Amino acid sequence: MLTSADPRHPAPDSARFRSVLGHFPSGITAITSRDAQGGPVGMTVASFTSVSLDPPLVAFLPGKTSSTFPVIAERGTFCVNVLATGQERICSALSVSGGDKFAEVAWRSGPNGDPVIDGVVAWIGCTVEAVHDAGDHYIVIGRVNDLDADSTASPLLFFRSGYNQLVSA
């Protein structure tokens, strides 16, 4: 087993790690929920994946420094919004810390009351099933309660530190 503590196989520096993994395209999701006062909260996350069909489970990986994730964890429910091409402003708004992130974001309440952002490719309403420690991130497992998709929308992608979109061949 190789670990970063193994002197024969030192871990790559974080800049190189980020650069190389940036060659893997990912979709961009907005993880949304509500705070204790009922206001919308959200964060952007590119590390999202399906986990299980039976039961239906998904996962996302928020950084431990996130000020939004503790609010989501306390509520116990969240909505994964798969952002669409043209929603770069929403991505930017939800990526900053503090302020009214939803000032210019149109949304409606989903099945758990969590924000479903208008115009997304898909949304997935979840209940927090488990949270696991993983280095400088958490692995959050969500049990899917409800979901829907717009088959006409195209996803917003992140590749080599920039926004991209799918191009039909």
Side-chain angles (χ1 to χ4, degrees), residues 20-106:
V20 171
L21 270 64
H23 287 75
F24 178 73
S26 62
I28 302 173
T29 62
I31 308 296
T32 59
S33 190
R34 300 269 189 140
D35 63 20
Q37 294 74 40
V41 297
M43 59 193 288
T44 56
V45 174
S47 53
F48 168 77
T49 189
S50 62
V51 174
S52 170
L53 291 174
D54 186 19
L57 300 172
V58 295
F60 73 96
L61 288 73
K64 288 184 178 176
T65 59
S66 169
S67 59
T68 302
F69 176 65
V71 177
I72 294 170
E74 183 176 319
R75 177 166 170 89
T77 64
F78 61 91
C79 185
V80 179
N81 293 268
V82 179
L83 296 183
T85 299
Q87 292 188 314
E88 292 89 344
R89 288 183 54 206
I90 293 172
C91 180
S92 296
L94 297 182
S95 294
V96 299
S97 185
D100 184 0
K101 295 180 179 187
F102 284 82
E104 296 184 27
V105 176

Side-chain angles (χ1 to χ4, degrees), residues 20 63 126 128 137 141:
V20 171
C126 301
V128 175
H137 282 68
I141 307 295

